[in-house]
Amino acid sequence: MECVFGLVGNGFAIVAADTSAVHSILVHKNNEDKIMVLDSHKLVAASGEPGDRVQFTEYVQKNVSLYQFRNGIPLTTSAAANFTRGELATALRKNPYSVNILMAGYDKEAGASLYYIDYIATLHKVDKGAFGYGSYFSLSTMDRHYRSDMTVEEAIELVDKCILEIRSRLVIAPPNFIIKIVDKNGARVHATRQSVQDVTTAAV
Amino acid sequence: MSRRYDSRTTIFSPEGRLYQVEYAMEAIGNAGSAIGILSKDGVVLIGEKKVTSKLLQTSTSTEKMYKIDDHVACAVAGIMSDANILINTARVQAQRYTFMYQEPMPVEQLVQSLCDTKQGYTQFGGLRPFGVSFLFAGWDKNYGFQLYMSDPSGNYGGWKAAAIGANNQAAQSILKQDYKDDATREEAVQLALKVLSKTMDSTSLTSEKLELAEVFLTPSGNVKYHVHSPDSLTKLLLKHGVTQPAAESS
């Protein structure tokens, strides 16, 4: 029931992910950050097998860092997305990674961009994308309201509409979300949306 | 005494020298020269052809200049058969990069990658080093036009103007005097022709003995690698007053 979605606005890209770590019927924690900061100007929102998700995203992050150390220049978002897809493709017919990724980035020349990379190594450059059961609701909502070159405020309004739709229509909807943004100033947390805090009761 | 330390590439001499690498560089010192010059709107590569028989089929192949990728070309000096292996290696490395990142390989990374291959032959395997020096000319979006020189040791450097092959020291000192930072491509061609005419051994400079190539950007922003035809070369030689026809020796 993981929900990950994102969209491109005017000079920025925004991604939102639920923050539940679930195993069968148990919620391990509800503040798990599934949006990794890949480098100063890239975000990777990932959903899928928890072990694969962490393993694969960290592998990509370390390779992106290595490239930068070796060559003194960062990878473009497009190059990083293609590298990621290539690794998924290579592993696909041996030990596939069960990870879906939305990669958002900002490059000086290309501006803000969003890449849809699914677990069988599909790669698409998109304006808006989503994964998981939540995608049935968020994609439809984004299709209805998305315009190119939205401001940050308009984009957050749309993200909130999607979260509302997911919360009201998905049977086991995740309660909490984290929203991160990347623009010319870098990649950072923008906001969280919480309807359930961690429970800390004192036994009486 | 140094004879004891020649035979294996993978050992140092007592003075701390790698003789096989130095002997490889000697071999290149006897080969046809090549000069590269960086200008603000392109890179010029010029080479002296050693094989100039009338019987040679010259229409399709080049002796000194090779294209590695759409945005990188090189000039070679040294043992041609060794050069062919390395050129192919460089081409594969460039394509492998593009396959992984869907972008052209930055020029310095390509040079570095090839030089890492060359270095391997000076440290392990017991194989001799490659007897080739390269001048790489290319363009990428990070640093624009670039010129790199590499030698059999696997060392490389970025240059504004460089020479390899026979008489490269003489050529290098003329370049040091006459090179101007803000030269245009045309001025760079002129300088290259002038330097080569001064350092070449042969008495006459004709278009059959030369190869001239330029790497530049077309108006639409694509990188172009252009090898001059013999006619174009002859015209250039005349224009810059560099031709010394053998007949005119009075």
Side-chain angles (χ1 to χ4, degrees):
Chain A
M1 305 291 182
E2 288 188 314
C3 303
V4 172
F5 61 96
L7 57 117
V8 175
N10 188 9
F12 68 92
I14 211 161
V15 280
D18 77 283
T19 57
S20 304
V22 169
H23 183 89
S24 168
I25 57 166
L26 174 69
V27 179
H28 282 298
K29 59 194 288 205
N30 51 29
N31 57 356
E32 166 84 353
D33 186 354
K34 298 176 192 170
I35 307 182
M36 166 182 276
V37 175
L38 202 66
D39 73 12
S40 63
H41 287 72
K42 292 183 193 43
L43 289 170
V44 169
S47 75
E49 268 311 315
D52 280 356
R53 172 170 55 78
V54 172
Q55 181 80 343
F56 184 69
T57 54
E58 283 186 3
Y59 173 72
V60 172
Q61 184 191 55
K62 297 330 175 204
N63 270 284
V64 168
S65 295
L66 179 62
Y67 182 98
Q68 182 149 5
F69 282 123
R70 266 191 185 143
N71 303 307
I73 48 171
L75 278 171
T76 58
T77 310
S78 162
N82 275 288
F83 168 75
T84 304
R85 184 214 85 84
E87 291 301 306
L88 287 169
T90 304
L92 184 61
R93 286 184 162 80
K94 292 191 178 176
N95 311 321
Y97 292 102
S98 301
V99 192
N100 298 307
I101 283 171
L102 278 178
M103 188 181 287
Y106 183 88
D107 309 296
K108 220 158 51 146
E109 306 87 16
S113 53
L114 182 66
Y115 288 88
Y116 171 106
I117 309 171
D118 75 11
Y119 72 106
I120 38 178
T122 306
L123 174 70
H124 291 305
K125 183 174 186 298
V126 293
D127 288 331
K128 49 184 151 48
F131 283 111
Y133 285 119
S135 69
Y136 291 113
F137 309 106
S138 49
L139 223 36
S140 310
T141 309
M142 287 195 287
D143 281 344
R144 172 68 183 83
H145 295 290
Y146 177 87
R147 285 175 334 277
S148 57
D149 289 342
M150 291 167 87
T151 65
V152 179
E153 292 73 30
E154 290 169 336
I156 289 292
E157 255 184 57
L158 180 48
V159 166
D160 279 328
K161 280 198 177 76
C162 294
I163 293 176
L164 181 61
E165 202 63 26
I166 289 168
R167 278 186 179 151
S168 53
R169 287 299 185 185
L170 188 55
V171 60
I172 305 185
N176 300 338
F177 284 81
I178 187 167
I179 305 171
K180 294 196 184 178
I181 190 171
V182 59
D183 60 17
K184 67 180 188 326
N185 300 321
R188 59 196 179 277
V189 177
H190 182 80
T192 59
R193 299 283 185 258
Q194 309 203 290
S195 56
V196 168
Q197 310 280 44
D198 250 326
V199 178
T200 48
T201 49
V204 174
Chain B
M1 184 183 76
S2 60
R3 284 281 147 199
R4 282 185 226 152
Y5 307 98
D6 295 27
S7 46
R8 287 176 37 201
T9 73
T10 50
I11 57 176
F12 281 108
S13 78
E15 304 96 52
R17 295 159 71 171
L18 291 170
Y19 277 109
Q20 283 299 304
V21 175
E22 292 185 18
Y23 296 161
M25 304 212 225
E26 267 302 304
I28 296 163
N30 300 326
S33 38
I35 294 173
I37 301 181
L38 189 65
S39 76
K40 56 179 199 242
D41 58 337
V43 194
V44 174
L45 290 173
I46 192 168
E48 171 199 357
K49 289 206 269 203
K50 280 288 192 168
V51 191
T52 52
S53 161
K54 252 195 320 194
L55 297 170
L56 194 64
Q57 187 70 291
T58 50
S59 52
T60 45
S61 61
T62 52
E63 186 187 308
K64 305 290 288 181
M65 317 284 174
Y66 296 90
K67 192 177 183 189
I68 306 289
D69 197 351
D70 286 332
H71 63 299
V72 184
C74 69
V76 309
I79 303 175
M80 282 317 303
S81 46
D82 285 7
N84 283 330
I85 301 288
L86 285 173
I87 287 164
N88 186 55
T89 305
R91 286 172 173 160
V92 171
Q93 284 163 351
Q95 292 309 308
R96 206 172 272 151
Y97 184 99
T98 304
F99 180 59
M100 199 188 272
Y101 297 105
Q102 297 299 314
E103 278 180 356
M105 188 171 193
V107 185
E108 182 167 1
Q109 285 182 42
L110 176 61
V111 175
Q112 199 158 26
S113 171
L114 194 68
C115 285
D116 286 346
T117 307
K118 290 206 254 188
Q119 188 276 347
Y121 286 78
T122 71
Q123 197 174 19
F124 38 75
L127 302 170
R128 66 164 174 82
F130 290 95
V132 200
S133 278
F134 285 99
L135 288 171
F136 288 99
W139 183 93
D140 63 44
K141 64 177 166 52
N142 307 114
Y143 296 111
F145 289 107
Q146 297 147 73
L147 175 68
Y148 295 94
M149 175 166 77
S150 79
D151 64 27
S153 67
N155 259 334
Y156 74 93
W159 293 83
K160 296 179 185 176
I164 52 176
N167 297 325
N168 64 62
Q169 269 164 328
Q172 199 88 34
S173 53
I174 303 176
L175 285 169
K176 204 157 124 178
Q177 284 177 317
D178 295 348
Y179 176 79
K180 280 194 282 296
D181 271 308
D182 51 357
T184 61
R185 217 175 350 125
E186 216 193 302
E187 290 166 347
V189 168
Q190 183 174 15
L191 178 59
L193 287 167
K194 185 178 105 176
V195 174
L196 204 63
S197 70
K198 288 199 178 145
T199 60
M200 260 171 80
D201 290 331
S202 50
T203 46
S204 68
L205 193 64
T206 58
S207 62
E208 295 126 30
K209 297 196 179 136
L210 295 181
E211 260 174 37
L212 175 64
E214 297 181 58
V215 177
F216 56 94
L217 287 179
T218 62
S220 53
N222 299 318
V223 188
K224 181 117 176 60
Y225 161 71
H226 172 68
V227 182
H228 282 258
S229 65
D231 291 331
S232 163
L233 252 178
T234 313
K235 284 204 198 83
L236 276 169
L237 286 168
L238 283 170
K239 179 174 166 192
H240 293 304
V242 163
T243 316
Q244 304 149 1
E248 264 188 37
S249 46
S250 51

